[in-house]
């Protein structure tokens, strides 16, 4: 046990499609279908629960597609003759796969009874954990997916090892006279540790800050409908954290006052009007017109995942395995996406690679990123 | 008479000339028949005058400067949009199809169909504040003209229904079932009508008819669609999300089209309507990724069979959609595409058959 008990991984993501995570129900807004926002700042976000739920599914998808043909048959007759479940995990071997525990996360020994229903809501929470191999539905309670994201059975429940934070907007793209610029504010930069030390934290309430002058004879930059005066200041923003995600250069960044950020973001969201077509008449259906809003393509998000391994539980996978599992399944966000309307050009997200080197920074709580 | 030089800016900006020609120039001669020398004197802006230039041979002299300038302006100002950041495409489209597909679960595939527009493409943008009334659809943050993924899904779904209806005429119920299954698998079914039908053990004939009617699938009186659906029901199908994911397409040029409605009485156009369109000959990429995520537990042979069927079905749909056109005003023949190159990869790196 040479590794830390907790680990915090920073994640960055860029939306490769507009992202729509609806609030459902009726929220008063400028459109019919509103998206989730942070209640305090009123800035749209991707809730940690959405992230955790989709990631759980993608991890299960990756796992099952890998081990599908190699799972030992737990329900054969010889199975009855062995002792308890733990012994069986030891005895039963992967089919045509050398048994090297910890070689690949997919072949962790407890994955032998994993199934696709380990993702999603547990359909049979009322059975005991030892009966799960023989039941067809619900979480199995043993595999890496159940251990990492948590499960609950009749006799035993376990909190997951993964704690997700919300994904907050870090840079938001707005079209201006000088091309597309990514706006952010000092507060956000400080929260994410992208502002170098020594830069004053105070915020000019009237001017935007650009790092390079986009034009000599202009003093204003238009962010959507807002024409904002700007000043040029050389601030060093450490965008190298985003290197493997998107090459964002300093001249593309505009720092706007904290008070204005939410207004600018909310007035530059992608708003779509959709209508349903009646196939019989070929014209629009009556009363089927609705509007929805979405976070536009090219928005850069930041968040983190904390991983916590409880000491007294030897059935938990190593943190390294969990990290590899997350890394191997994150590419599904680039295809299947997150949120609503994902087969219609919404919801795709590109994640930066998870940096899970042995760094010993304790996970800080304080965010409700429960899985 | 000799042509006057208005400004010495001729080489930089021909648009001044256009206005000048429109208003002031009035030639008496009818056709261009002069020698090169004369032409040079007459039209100093014509760099290499050629009396037999087929582009201008048939113009009347008085129209010539205007036509010439228009022609040249068109050549010079093919309004190319310089996407300021080359990585933009990196954001929205898959760069390396083969490598990308390898990450996916077995029997996924990815299609990339490069095409050329045979006629202008137009789709209305929601931008309220624009020079003309009909701006072309552009990405919100990058202002690049595009076809949305949802548009592709819609137009391909429409093509799929057409194909199903064509095959329906053959009265081959097995084929129809397979097509329907492919259709439901690729595009997904989530409508309430379908849920009701599929969960109802005693199939209601009228409801079924209504469902097919709303989907646009044509029914003949003596059709055995009921049996088809019963068979379909027996296979434990559930309402599900579609397996195919449709990527947006981006273009790099824009131009203007005019539609001029004519007055019924005077037979003359009054109020020309301008459309900002993506001109013909522009090239684009259609990308579709297919992931059989709902069958991950099934035996490989089943998934393989389904995926291959769906691939063939999807190919037909793409072909048909290219012929029918995409975007708005397809009844005027807009939005038709010509296939240039078709690439497709399975998740094990094999190429799918290209036909």
């Amino acid at each position: 046990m040479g590794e830390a008990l907790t680990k915090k991984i920073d994640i960055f993501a860029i939306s490769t499609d507009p992202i729509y995570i609806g609030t459902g129900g009726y929220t008063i807004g400028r459109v019919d279908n509103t998206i989730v926002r942070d209640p305090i700042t009123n800035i749209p976000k991707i809730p940690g629960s959405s992230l955790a739920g989709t990631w759980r599914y993608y991890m299960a998808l990756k796992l099952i597609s890998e081990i599908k043909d190699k799972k030992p048959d737990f329900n054969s007759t010889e199975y009855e003759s062995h002792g308890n479940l733990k012994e069986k995990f030891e005895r039963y071997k992967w089919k045509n796969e050398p048994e090297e525990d910890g070689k690949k996360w997919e072949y962790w020994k407890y994955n032998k009874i994993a199934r696709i229903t380990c993702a999603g809501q547990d359909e049979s929470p009322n059975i005991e954990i030892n009966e799960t191999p023989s039941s067809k539905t619900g979480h199995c309670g043993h595999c890496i997916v159940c251990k990492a994201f948590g499960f609950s059975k009749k006799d035993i429940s376990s909190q997951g090892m993964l704690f997700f934070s919300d994904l907050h907007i870090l840079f938001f793209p707005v079209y201006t006279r000088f091309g597309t610029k990514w706006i952010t504010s000092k507060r956000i930069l400080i929260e994410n540790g992208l502002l170098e030390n020594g830069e004053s934290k105070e915020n000019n309430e009237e001017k935007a800050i650009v790092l390079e002058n986009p034009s000599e004879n202009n003093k204003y930059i238009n962010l959507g409908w807002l024409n904002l005066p700007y000043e040029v200041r050389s601030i060093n923003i450490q965008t190298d954290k985003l290197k493997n995600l998107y090459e964002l250069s300093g001249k593309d960044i505009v720092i706007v006052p904290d008070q204005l950020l939410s207004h600018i973001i909310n007035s530059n969201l992608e708003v779509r009007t959709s209508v349903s077509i009646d196939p019989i008449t070929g014209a629009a259906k009556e009363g089927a017109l609705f509007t929805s809003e979405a976070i536009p393509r090219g928005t850069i998000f930041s968040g983190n995942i904390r991983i916590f391994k409880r000491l007294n539980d030897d059935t938990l996978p190593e943190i390294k395995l969990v990290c590899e599992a997350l890394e191997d399944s994150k590419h599904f966000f680039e295809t299947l996406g997150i949120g609503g309307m994902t087969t219609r050009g919404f919801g795709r997200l590109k994640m930066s690679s998870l940096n899970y080197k042995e760094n010993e920074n304790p996970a800080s709580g304080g965010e409700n990123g429960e899985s | 008479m000799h042509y006057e030089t208005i400004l010495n800016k001729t080489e930089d900006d021909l648009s001044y000339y256009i206005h000048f020609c429109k208003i002031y120039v009035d030639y008496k001669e009818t056709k261009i028949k002069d020698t090169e020398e004369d032409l040079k004197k007459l039209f100093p802006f014509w760099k290499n005058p050629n009396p037999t230039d087929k582009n201008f041979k048939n113009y009347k002299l008085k129209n010539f400067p205007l036509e010439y300038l228009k022609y040249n302006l068109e050549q010079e100002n093919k309004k190319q949009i310089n996407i300021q950041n080359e990585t933009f495409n990196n954001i929205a489209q898959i760069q390396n199809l083969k490598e990308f597909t390898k990450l996916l679960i077995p029997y996924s595939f990815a299609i990339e169909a490069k095409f050329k527009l045979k006629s202008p493409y137009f789709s209305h943008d929601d931008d309220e504040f624009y020079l003309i009334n009909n701006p072309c659809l552009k990405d919100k943050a990058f202002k690049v003209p595009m076809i949305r993924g949802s548009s592709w899904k819609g137009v391909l779904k429409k093509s799929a229904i057409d194909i199903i209806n064509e095959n329906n005429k053959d009265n081959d119920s097995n084929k129809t079932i397979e097509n329907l299954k492919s259709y439901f698998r690729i595009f997904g079914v989530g409508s309430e009508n379908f849920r009701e039908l599929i969960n109802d053990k005693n199939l209601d004939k009228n409801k079924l008819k209504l469902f097919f009617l709303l989907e646009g699938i044509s029914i003949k009186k003596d059709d055995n669609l009921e049996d088809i659906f019963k068979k379909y029901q027996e296979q434990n199908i559930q309402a599900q999300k579609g397996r195919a994911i449709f990527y947006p397409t981006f273009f790099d040029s824009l131009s203007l089209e005019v539609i001029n409605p004519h007055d019924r009485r005077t037979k003359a156009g009054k109020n020309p309507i301008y459309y900002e369109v993506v001109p013909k000959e522009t090239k684009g990429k259609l990308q579709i990724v297919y992931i059989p995520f709902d069958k991950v537990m099934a035996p490989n042979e089943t998934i393989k069979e389904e995926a291959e069927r769906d691939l063939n079905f999807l190919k037909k749909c793409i072909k048909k959609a290219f012929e029918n056109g995409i975007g708005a005003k397809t009844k005027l023949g807009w939005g038709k595409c010509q296939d240039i190159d078709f690439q497709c990869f399975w998740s094990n790196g094999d190429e799918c058959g290209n036909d």
Side-chain angles (χ1 to χ4, degrees):
Chain A
M1 293 296 291
E3 63 174 336
L5 293 178
T6 57
K7 180 172 292 219
K8 184 163 163 235
I9 299 174
D10 286 332
I11 45 176
F12 294 99
I14 185 165
S15 56
T16 56
D17 267 340
I19 292 185
Y20 171 82
I21 298 181
T23 49
Y26 297 97
T27 317
I28 303 280
R30 290 185 304 168
V31 291
D32 297 337
N33 300 341
T34 48
I35 53 175
V36 177
R37 287 180 166 78
D38 191 296
I40 297 166
T41 56
N42 205 27
I43 293 174
K45 65 175 184 182
I46 296 178
S49 54
S50 306
L51 193 65
T54 41
W55 215 324
R56 178 175 192 146
Y57 172 52
Y58 297 153
M59 197 189 278
L61 198 58
K62 181 81 190 165
L63 174 66
I64 300 303
S65 65
E66 179 72 31
I67 64 169
K68 185 172 63 181
D69 304 330
K70 296 175 180 165
K71 277 164 63 174
D73 185 8
F74 264 72
N75 292 330
S76 61
T77 45
E78 58 189 292
Y79 161 76
E80 308 296 335
S81 58
H82 292 309
N84 65 16
L85 199 56
K86 199 164 178 182
E87 281 178 23
K88 282 171 195 149
F89 276 118
E90 297 293 345
R91 271 174 204 278
Y92 280 71
K93 298 278 180 266
W94 292 105
K95 289 179 191 168
N96 45 37
E97 187 66 36
E99 187 90 21
E100 275 183 65
D101 207 13
K103 175 178 60 108
K104 274 178 86 175
W105 67 271
E106 289 101 331
Y107 297 107
W108 187 57
K109 64 185 176 193
Y110 291 108
N111 288 348
K112 286 167 189 165
I113 58 165
R115 46 184 171 243
I116 195 69
T117 52
C118 288
Q121 197 178 8
D122 195 350
E123 288 158 352
S124 47
N126 294 324
I127 57 172
E128 294 187 356
I129 191 149
N130 287 334
E131 298 166 7
T132 52
S134 50
S135 88
K136 283 267 176 271
T137 59
H139 297 169
C140 74
H142 291 279
C143 71
I144 193 166
V145 178
C146 293
K147 291 289 186 195
F149 288 89
F151 64 92
S152 171
K153 289 288 171 197
K154 189 177 174 183
D155 54 342
I156 192 164
S157 296
S158 157
Q159 187 196 31
M161 297 165 67
L162 295 168
F163 299 77
F164 290 86
S165 78
D166 293 342
L167 285 184
H168 290 285
I169 292 178
L170 175 58
F171 294 105
F172 184 87
V174 175
Y175 190 74
T176 69
R177 276 197 296 270
F178 313 116
T180 308
K181 300 282 178 204
W182 275 262
I183 62 165
T184 182
S185 76
K186 274 198 177 174
R187 185 180 54 80
I188 289 181
L189 288 173
I190 290 164
E191 278 173 7
N192 286 286
L194 295 180
L195 206 60
E196 69 171 355
N197 301 331
E199 176 60 37
S200 75
K201 291 189 169 77
E202 70 182 58
N203 201 337
N204 187 334
E205 290 178 23
E206 288 163 10
K207 282 189 175 173
I209 302 169
V210 294
L211 310 187
E212 274 182 40
N213 201 352
S215 106
E216 284 304 320
N217 45 14
N218 243 311
K219 291 191 175 64
Y220 288 86
I221 187 165
N222 64 316
L223 302 165
W225 51 265
L226 185 71
N227 213 17
L228 204 61
Y230 66 79
E231 55 180 323
V232 185
R233 220 193 290 171
S234 61
I235 296 178
N236 190 5
I237 296 178
Q238 293 151 355
T239 50
D240 46 336
K241 282 189 181 180
L242 309 171
K243 262 237 150 51
N244 59 17
L245 186 69
Y246 186 77
E247 291 280 332
L248 194 66
S249 67
K251 68 175 195 306
D252 294 332
I253 298 175
V254 177
I255 304 175
V256 301
D258 285 331
Q259 301 85 328
L260 289 177
L261 185 73
S262 139
H263 289 285
I264 298 173
I265 287 180
N266 279 313
S267 51
N268 287 291
L269 290 174
E270 184 144 341
V271 175
R272 280 202 197 173
T273 309
S274 302
V275 72
S276 181
I277 303 288
D278 187 335
I280 302 168
T281 60
K285 264 188 199 163
E286 192 66 37
L289 182 91
F290 64 93
T291 49
S292 54
E293 57 187 4
I295 303 172
R297 181 177 286 119
T299 310
I300 297 174
F301 298 91
S302 68
N304 61 53
I305 304 174
R306 279 98 55 212
I307 308 181
F308 169 56
K309 186 177 173 190
R310 292 184 295 282
L311 265 179
N312 52 2
D313 192 345
D314 59 347
T315 61
L316 292 179
E318 297 294 320
I319 288 184
K320 188 166 154 283
L321 280 191
V322 178
C323 288
E324 281 167 11
L326 288 172
E327 177 74 33
D328 282 354
S329 51
K330 77 177 169 56
H331 69 83
F332 278 111
F333 283 105
E334 291 172 40
T335 47
L336 297 172
I338 189 169
M341 303 195 268
T342 41
T343 58
R344 299 181 248 157
F346 273 90
R348 277 191 300 261
L349 199 67
K350 196 172 184 174
M351 293 255 181
S352 60
S353 62
L354 307 174
N355 219 343
Y356 49 89
K357 284 200 285 283
E358 301 289 316
N359 54 348
E360 303 213 10
N361 53 356
S364 56
E367 283 181 277
N368 53 346
E370 294 188 7
S371 49
Chain B
M1 67 161 274
H2 287 284
Y3 201 89
E4 296 173 57
T5 333
I6 323 158
L7 295 156
N8 291 331
K9 278 188 166 184
T10 52
E11 280 166 27
D12 310 336
D13 192 354
L14 294 171
S15 58
Y16 291 109
Y17 257 139
I18 291 238
H19 293 295
F20 176 81
C21 297
K22 267 186 180 171
I23 299 164
Y24 298 109
V25 181
D26 188 14
Y27 292 99
K28 298 285 183 293
E29 292 92 342
T30 52
K31 273 207 170 182
I32 303 176
K33 291 182 274 198
D34 305 272
T35 60
E36 278 183 36
E37 292 296 305
D38 291 341
L39 284 174
K40 257 192 179 164
K41 275 182 190 164
L42 201 59
F43 307 118
F45 54 84
W46 199 354
K47 292 200 178 68
N48 303 314
N50 177 6
T52 58
D53 190 337
K54 62 176 190 299
N55 284 321
F56 312 111
K57 217 168 87 178
N58 299 328
Y59 288 127
K60 291 191 170 144
L61 200 58
K62 68 171 189 181
N63 298 339
F64 172 76
L66 186 60
E67 292 301 336
Y68 171 84
L69 293 168
K70 265 191 190 171
Y71 176 83
N72 272 342
L73 270 185
E74 261 179 23
Q75 294 302 315
E76 282 170 24
N77 290 17
K78 275 227 159 136
K79 198 172 157 191
Q80 290 289 332
I81 297 160
N82 296 322
I83 296 171
Q84 51 159 177
N85 204 329
E86 285 180 357
T87 46
F88 164 74
N89 261 339
N90 242 340
I91 293 185
Q93 289 200 307
I94 308 168
Q95 293 310 301
N96 189 337
L97 207 67
K98 193 170 174 176
E99 291 307 309
F100 182 84
T101 323
K102 276 183 187 170
L103 295 172
L104 302 172
I105 60 178
Y107 303 106
S108 308
F109 61 80
I111 291 175
E112 183 175 279
K114 289 196 173 91
F115 63 88
K116 196 167 73 180
L117 287 172
K118 281 198 290 194
S119 54
Y121 158 80
F122 174 75
S123 177
H124 201 285
D125 198 25
D126 282 343
D127 196 347
E128 301 279 332
F129 187 66
Y130 205 72
L131 289 168
I132 57 174
N133 285 334
N134 298 307
C136 182
L137 174 67
K138 296 183 209 65
D139 181 82
K140 173 85 191 176
F142 299 88
K143 296 292 179 232
V144 183
M146 66 184 288
I147 300 177
R148 283 188 182 136
S150 52
S151 304
W152 278 123
K153 186 172 180 180
V155 76
L156 290 167
K157 198 168 172 174
K158 177 83 177 56
S159 317
I161 287 171
D162 289 351
I163 290 168
I164 290 172
N165 288 342
E166 280 170 23
N167 288 339
N168 244 352
K169 290 172 190 161
D170 308 342
N171 272 338
D172 180 356
S173 69
N174 282 334
K175 203 171 176 183
T176 310
I177 290 180
E178 288 306 333
N179 278 341
L180 269 180
K181 273 158 69 179
S182 275
Y183 169 71
F184 289 142
R185 275 197 303 256
I186 294 171
F187 299 101
V189 264
S191 69
E192 276 174 33
N193 294 343
F194 186 81
R195 276 173 216 265
E196 278 178 19
L197 280 175
I198 210 79
N199 298 330
D200 187 8
K201 286 283 172 285
N202 321 317
L203 203 58
D204 182 343
K205 216 169 171 174
N206 292 330
K207 267 189 185 166
L208 181 69
K209 276 186 179 163
L210 184 72
F211 170 72
F212 279 120
L213 193 66
L214 290 174
E215 286 287 314
I217 297 165
S218 66
I219 305 172
K220 293 199 291 291
K221 248 198 173 152
D222 51 348
D223 231 347
N224 51 358
L225 268 177
E226 207 177 341
D227 309 340
I228 290 175
F229 204 78
K230 274 237 166 80
K231 277 186 201 167
Y232 187 78
Q233 217 175 358
E234 283 157 14
Q235 295 168 345
N236 271 334
I237 307 282
Q238 286 178 328
Q240 60 163 59
K241 177 176 142 175
R243 290 180 185 179
I245 298 155
F246 301 86
Y247 282 62
T249 299
F250 296 94
F251 296 112
D252 61 353
S253 54
L254 281 173
S255 71
L256 214 57
E257 286 278 340
V258 184
I259 290 180
N260 201 350
H262 284 47
D263 191 301
R264 292 279 181 277
R265 186 171 312 178
T266 59
K267 296 285 184 287
K270 291 191 305 182
N271 302 314
I273 301 168
Y274 292 97
Y275 286 90
E276 186 185 42
V277 297
V278 178
K280 60 182 181 189
E281 305 293 312
T282 313
K283 287 175 185 168
K285 260 193 299 197
L286 160 64
Q287 292 182 328
I288 300 172
V289 175
Y290 173 98
I291 305 178
F293 59 89
D294 52 323
K295 277 283 167 66
V296 71
M297 300 291 270
N300 281 345
E301 292 74 34
T302 319
I303 311 179
K304 186 174 181 211
E305 191 195 3
E306 285 183 0
E308 281 172 353
R309 270 184 203 285
D310 291 357
L311 174 61
N312 285 328
F313 190 72
L314 207 48
K315 276 184 190 170
K316 285 183 207 161
C317 293
I318 292 172
K319 214 170 159 182
K320 206 165 183 70
F322 280 1
E323 286 165 19
N324 291 343
I326 176 152
K329 299 266 170 209
T330 46
K331 67 175 181 194
L332 306 183
W334 285 14
K336 286 187 168 45
C337 313
Q338 187 186 347
D339 199 356
I340 300 176
D341 179 34
F342 185 91
Q343 265 192 322
C344 171
F345 291 105
W346 290 104
S347 54
N348 59 4
D350 287 355
E351 241 181 289
C352 322
N354 185 1
D355 40 29

